[in-house]
Amino acid sequence: MTGGADEPFIAAVKPLVDAIGGVLVPPDEAGRDDVVLSWEGAEVVAVRLPQLADSLDHILAAMERRRGVPLAELDRKSKQEVVRNLEARGAFSVRHGVETVASALGVSRFTVYNYLNREKGL
């Protein structure tokens, strides 16, 4: 990462990269699957995206930080809201997504499926 005039650009994208669990790397170290970002015609930084399973863990940790308490300590209504938000973000398309979420919420897989089915009106 070059610094100097590019610093405001890097500072601007860093919160987004952090939110998705990505990592900033110098563009000359970018791998095939990394996303290289340019600013004013020059490659400035590359973003190494996380694996989907890592993203779910990162999302759950961020939800805990925002709420200020472990997700397992939330009341039932709040846990249902977490499941709705996660479903909207595609969390349950990740392998073992239901199990990961159930563990974070301190509930069974069956309970997570009930929350999902309730939301779909089943």
Side-chain angles (χ1 to χ4, degrees):
M1 293 174 286
T2 59
D6 300 330
E7 287 300 322
F9 177 77
I10 293 170
V13 299
K14 186 167 180 5
L16 175 61
V17 173
D18 290 345
I20 63 169
V23 177
L24 296 174
V25 296
D28 59 342
E29 294 178 19
R32 190 181 70 196
D33 295 327
D34 295 338
V35 179
V36 178
L37 303 177
S38 297
W39 180 251
E40 296 181 349
E43 293 181 347
V44 176
V45 67
V47 178
R48 184 155 297 148
L49 300 171
Q51 299 297 313
L52 283 176
D54 295 337
S55 292
L56 180 53
D57 290 335
H58 190 80
I59 290 167
L60 289 166
M63 289 178 129
E64 265 190 7
R65 280 192 306 277
R66 274 196 303 276
R67 292 178 180 270
V69 298
L71 297 177
E73 294 180 11
L74 297 175
D75 62 26
R76 188 173 126 251
K77 184 176 179 183
S78 296
K79 288 179 181 182
Q80 289 171 334
E81 180 184 317
V82 166
V83 169
R84 271 195 308 273
N85 289 336
L86 291 169
E87 182 179 29
R89 295 176 79 171
F92 301 109
S93 63
V94 175
R95 184 179 171 113
H96 303 298
V98 170
E99 292 86 348
T100 301
V101 171
S103 177
L105 292 176
V107 300
S108 68
R109 290 181 312 138
F110 180 76
T111 298
V112 172
Y113 284 119
N114 278 340
Y115 292 167
L116 290 168
N117 289 335
R118 182 172 294 125
E119 191 58 29
K120 294 175 183 170
L122 299 177

